[in-house]
Amino acid sequence: MKIAILGGGISGCALARMLAEDDHDVTVLEKSERVGGLCKSRQIDGFTFDEAGGHIIFSKDKDVLQWQLDRCGGEQNTQKTVRNTKIRWHDRWVPYPFENGVGHLTQAANVECMSGYIEAYVGRRTGAPCPENFGDWIQWRMGDGFARHFMVPYNNKIWKRDLTTMASDWVAGRVPEAPIEDILRSSIGVDTEGYKHQSVFWFPSHGGFEAMVKGTAKDGGFRLVCDARVDRVAKKGGGFEVNGEAFDLVVNTVPLPQIESVIEEIPADIRADIQALEPISLINVMIGVKLDEPLPDLSWIYLPFDDQGPTNRATYYSNYSKFNAPEGHGCFLAEVTHRGELRADDREWLQGVVDGLDRAGILRKEQVVLLEACNNEFAYIDQDLEFAARIARVRDWFDNSGYLTFGRFGRYEYHNSDQCVKRAMQVREHIRTAAASGDHAPLQLP
Ligand SMILES: Cc1cc2nc3c(=O)[nH]c(=O)nc-3n(C[C@H](O)[C@H](O)[C@H](O)COP(=O)(O)OP(=O)(O)OC[C@H]3O[C@@H](n4cnc5c(N)ncnc54)[C@H](O)[C@@H]3O)c2cc1C
């Protein structure tokens, strides 16, 4: 088949490579000057930075992990790091996840967290129903102490909305429940580890996270057209037309609100649903520092409190690969979410970010030799209470329309790049079946 893929992020490039292996004639149309999307990196004055906050390679799926490492030129072209993440809790460094680090809090906070946790635990065991909103879910799952001391301030900082107006269903798979024995052990000072699936991670030695997408496009066997904004897609005859060129099949990976006006057949009610899918944006502040001693062996730090500045997560990015900073230097990424109100070129605001990190003990402001920032309009999915119903209608329309759509914002799934690759594998299977049978059944993704 002659197939057009809209968007050259990891989703589009991964699928293109897979379909080319199956001997399809594949074209990727990417609006910007190069592939990468949210996985892009950039080089400035000898430093390398990821553009959309710190990215790491890890996956619960061994095949996907291997596929991603292969695209980096094999594990030998990556750095493998044992994850060391902490929460900056007032003047303390508390291991992450917070519940596994509870023994590092003050005794008073430890007791508040544990008594609240036990109360919540008993509530759940005696049938307290899972709340539909995220604010109440935090109390139900973690109890009042954990909520007050970390979960509520941290999530307020990221989501920028009243947590009781957010849905809870999306957290279920993302926040695994730690065994209560682990939390009790942590509370009495015996360290335990949470999120074991992510205890080590990989990162390309050279070129930042983007190297993984570049390696996907290189010798991928498909036609890549950059600087090619897709501005007209429609069905024509038995196939499709994209920017005037005929194709047998169209797969979209572009954020739905950015492609909605371009696809002719979308009905008015589905258009309205897509227009209501507002993204949460992210300014990623890129900071180069001159060092008089190596950075501590940390991966990233969560910053829940307002006196730490607007940053919610600071990445020790030169620890991912020593080639991310010139000799004698280090670099950080500071992530700040917003809803369209911040500007990445506001120097005063950027200095405020640095001042916050200085107060939090992450860096010293006099060390800073480079300060830049990058805005990412589509970073997080706004999980309001209507989101699930709205996106279900949108996906249902696409899956039955003959168009295929997937990707973090192409399907609005809160996915990391490994899950985008997994989805690409599933879409490839769907296309294989369709090509073999000639029957275009609706797309069904698990
Ligand atoms: C803060 C943050 C941290 C993250 N951390 C990690 C991590 O540690 N590990 C990990 O694996 N993942 C991480 N992710 C997730 C990861 O970035 C995404 O899952 C992945 O990059 C999504 O890829 P995509 O191809 O689906 O979408 P995108 O990367 O958004 O690609 C869409 C592409 O469509 C293009 N486009 C837009 N409009 C048009 C048009 N009209 N015509 C043609 N092209 C168009 C865009 O330019 C873009 O290249 C993180 C994400 C964020 C925001």
Side-chain angles (χ1 to χ4, degrees), residues 6-13 29-32 34-40 52-58 68 209 212 228-231 253-255 258-259 262 282 313 335 376 378-380 406-410 415-420:
L6 318 184
I10 184 60
S11 297
C13 291
L29 296 152
E30 165 55 48
K31 126 181 128 167
S32 88
R34 65 185 201 280
V35 293
L38 280 170
C39 297
K40 271 187 186 159
H55 277 60
I56 57 171
I57 297 176
F58 74 96
Q68 290 194 295
F209 200 76
M212 194 257 300
R229 177 190 290 272
V230 174
D231 53 23
T253 70
V254 170
Q258 293 186 319
I259 204 75
V262 165
L282 175 88
R313 187 173 76 131
E335 292 166 27
N376 300 273
F378 287 82
Y380 289 103
F406 80 109
R408 182 163 168 117
F409 290 99
H415 279 178
N416 278 333
S417 71
D418 63 312
Q419 294 162 296
C420 294

Side-chain angles (χ1 to χ4, degrees), residues 16-70:
R17 189 178 179 99
M18 293 172 198
L19 295 178
E21 281 167 8
D22 290 351
D23 288 332
H24 295 293
D25 171 5
V26 186
T27 301
V28 171
L29 296 152
E30 165 55 48
K31 126 181 128 167
S32 88
E33 79 300 345
R34 65 185 201 280
V35 293
L38 280 170
C39 297
K40 271 187 186 159
S41 311
R42 63 170 76 164
Q43 276 75 38
I44 316 173
D45 295 344
F47 291 92
T48 297
F49 298 100
D50 287 347
E51 290 192 354
H55 277 60
I56 57 171
I57 297 176
F58 74 96
S59 188
K60 289 180 190 168
D61 185 311
K62 284 200 177 72
D63 292 340
V64 171
L65 177 62
Q66 191 55 52
W67 191 96
Q68 290 194 295
L69 292 173
D70 287 347

